[in-house]
Amino acid sequence: MKNDTERWILYPVVKGKEVIGIEVGILKNNETQLEFWRMDPQDDYYKEIINLFRLAYSEKILTQQTMNKGGNCGRPGEEPCSTGEVVITIPKPNGPKANPHLYLPGANPGSGDPGVIGGNCGAYGNCGGGSGTGETPNDPNNNDSCGKIKEKQNNQKYKDKFEALNKAEIFNMDKETGFYELQPPLGVNAPPGFVQVDGPPGSSDMDLPDDTERISGLFHSHNNAEGSIKIFSPIDIITFINIFLKNARKYGGGYANAYSTVVTSAGSYTLKFTGTAHPGGVDFNTGEAWDKWYKQNMAEIADKDGGFPQDKVEDVFGKFLHEVVNKPGLEIFKVTVDTAEKLTYDPVTKKSQSKPCPK
């Protein structure tokens, strides 16, 4: 138990017959919400209990290997080892250890809370009713990205920001510029606001403020500088996943309300997410791998064509989103101030295809 309001179940994470970490399943909100987290290996409580799991697992596996198929269970081509019941007694996390650091599996410890996994069903999988999270999992409108984009396009403030960026003088600037959408604090009944943000002169990037709490969406431009790629960059996607999704769920009514829009002279695009569970945070090493793939494949376009034809940029980006990022529910749309087309990648033709959203 944690603060007498949450029920924790600890699971050893095993790879190569070795316990390499501890996952935590947390039942909370009167056991109507289930979250899965990874325990930070730098946490004192983790250090206190990890060897208890390792010892119990090793002893059980050694016993089973001598009893199953001459000790071959778990080896390639053989049946997996069955550990049976294992009783492990670990100390309760009291005092300063009462709040072990937790993070999403695959995320970078210490990088902040990238969101919550799961938690959209009622107790023990009863998904028929509300979840208490502000989302309705079985409502098909909750996953209608076209509808969510149309909602934004019908908002005059949203239109004004889009049109403020969709100008030749913006594209010809020597920097990026944009607006981020800031949700009101919890418990405050007020509409979200927009805050302008500018990149430094002579650059092709733009930073959000150090405090990104409550930022659920972003407009920004890509300028006409030489070598500019007029579609989302890997860091744009990482920011959307790690920051905007988390904040939209916490402050903005659900993941479906997060967005990122890039406005360029070759077309404008919006990222949306249709899932009801966070797709998992993106850590540093993953981001580096994405960036390497992206730069290599975009450079191949320039090598062959002497520039960046937008149809080929869309094809490469579609492959990147489909095969490299590979986050189910993450979608891209080509947009204007009042229209949207969903882009999907066909791995057979290796082309991006578009389907207009209903007007």
Side-chain angles (χ1 to χ4, degrees):
M1 299 291 288
K2 178 184 176 187
N3 298 329
D4 296 322
T5 61
E6 299 174 354
R7 189 179 302 277
W8 288 29
I9 302 175
L10 307 184
Y11 302 92
V13 181
V14 179
K15 182 178 181 180
K17 296 187 178 181
E18 179 185 1
V19 176
I20 62 169
I22 297 175
E23 297 274 352
V24 183
I26 303 177
L27 276 174
K28 57 193 300 184
N29 293 340
N30 295 320
E31 299 189 2
T32 63
Q33 189 175 26
L34 175 63
E35 300 175 0
F36 288 98
W37 297 84
R38 180 73 57 85
M39 191 174 287
D40 187 343
Q42 300 304 314
D43 183 76
D44 288 339
Y45 184 58
Y46 173 94
K47 293 176 182 178
E48 183 175 3
I49 66 175
I50 184 64
N51 286 332
L52 297 175
F53 280 93
R54 286 171 174 162
L55 178 62
Y57 179 79
S58 298
E59 290 178 346
K60 194 68 178 181
I61 285 298
L62 286 173
T63 300
Q64 291 300 119
Q65 285 183 334
T66 60
M67 296 173 60
N68 291 289
K69 292 195 171 186
N72 289 324
C73 75
R75 301 181 186 278
E78 301 292 341
E79 295 180 0
C81 297
S82 172
T83 62
E85 182 181 47
V86 179
V87 178
I88 305 174
T89 302
I90 61 174
K92 184 178 180 180
N94 293 318
K97 301 172 185 175
N99 187 23
H101 299 99
L102 304 174
Y103 62 96
L104 286 175
N108 186 22
S111 65
D113 169 13
V116 175
I117 293 181
N120 287 318
C121 294
Y124 311 115
N126 175 16
C127 296
S131 64
T133 65
E135 297 178 84
T136 308
N138 287 342
D139 180 359
N141 293 324
N142 193 51
N143 293 335
D144 178 12
S145 292
C146 279
K148 289 295 182 180
I149 290 177
K150 181 57 65 177
E151 282 182 20
K152 287 293 185 184
Q153 291 175 335
N154 288 336
N155 182 295
Q156 190 59 48
K157 287 184 178 180
Y158 181 97
K159 280 187 175 182
D160 291 344
K161 303 310 176 191
F162 186 99
E163 291 178 331
L165 295 180
N166 193 27
K167 297 178 179 179
E169 55 264 36
I170 297 294
F171 304 139
N172 291 328
M173 294 173 67
D174 66 343
K175 63 180 181 179
E176 291 187 1
T177 186
F179 305 90
Y180 60 81
E181 184 168 343
L182 188 67
Q183 296 292 332
L186 293 176
V188 175
N189 185 17
F194 289 92
V195 180
Q196 184 170 346
V197 59
D198 293 293
S203 71
S204 58
D205 55 19
M206 183 187 71
D207 292 329
L208 292 173
D210 292 337
D211 182 5
T212 58
E213 193 73 7
R214 298 191 285 121
I215 298 177
S216 62
L218 175 70
F219 289 99
H220 75 290
S221 63
H222 279 191
N223 59 24
N224 289 333
E226 184 177 356
S228 175
I229 299 173
K230 296 171 183 176
I231 204 164
F232 294 107
S233 66
I235 192 63
D236 292 332
I237 300 174
I238 293 170
T239 302
F240 176 80
I241 293 172
N242 285 2
I243 297 176
F244 302 158
L245 284 179
K246 178 198 72 170
N247 289 337
R249 182 185 187 277
K250 184 175 180 180
Y251 298 100
Y255 295 127
N257 292 321
Y259 68 92
S260 184
T261 297
V262 60
V263 184
T264 85
S265 60
S268 301
Y269 303 87
T270 293
L271 284 174
K272 296 290 289 182
F273 181 68
T274 62
T276 56
H278 194 279
V282 183
D283 61 23
F284 176 81
N285 290 334
T286 300
E288 289 288 288
W290 287 6
D291 194 59
K292 181 179 179 181
W293 188 100
Y294 185 94
K295 288 179 177 177
Q296 287 179 345
N297 284 267
M298 288 296 181
E300 289 178 4
I301 298 177
D303 291 342
K304 293 178 181 178
D305 295 272
F308 295 98
Q310 198 62 17
D311 59 337
K312 294 187 178 180
V313 168
E314 290 179 358
D315 292 341
V316 169
F317 185 84
K319 183 177 182 179
F320 174 67
L321 202 64
H322 179 76
E323 297 182 359
V324 180
V325 175
N326 191 24
K327 298 282 188 182
L330 188 61
E331 299 179 345
I332 182 172
F333 294 79
K334 192 167 188 176
V335 298
T336 67
V337 70
D338 56 8
T339 66
E341 301 176 4
K342 182 179 178 180
L343 300 182
T344 56
Y345 179 73
D346 186 338
V348 176
T349 64
K350 299 182 179 180
K351 300 287 185 182
S352 286
Q353 302 174 338
S354 65
K355 180 180 179 180
C357 288
K359 293 185 178 181

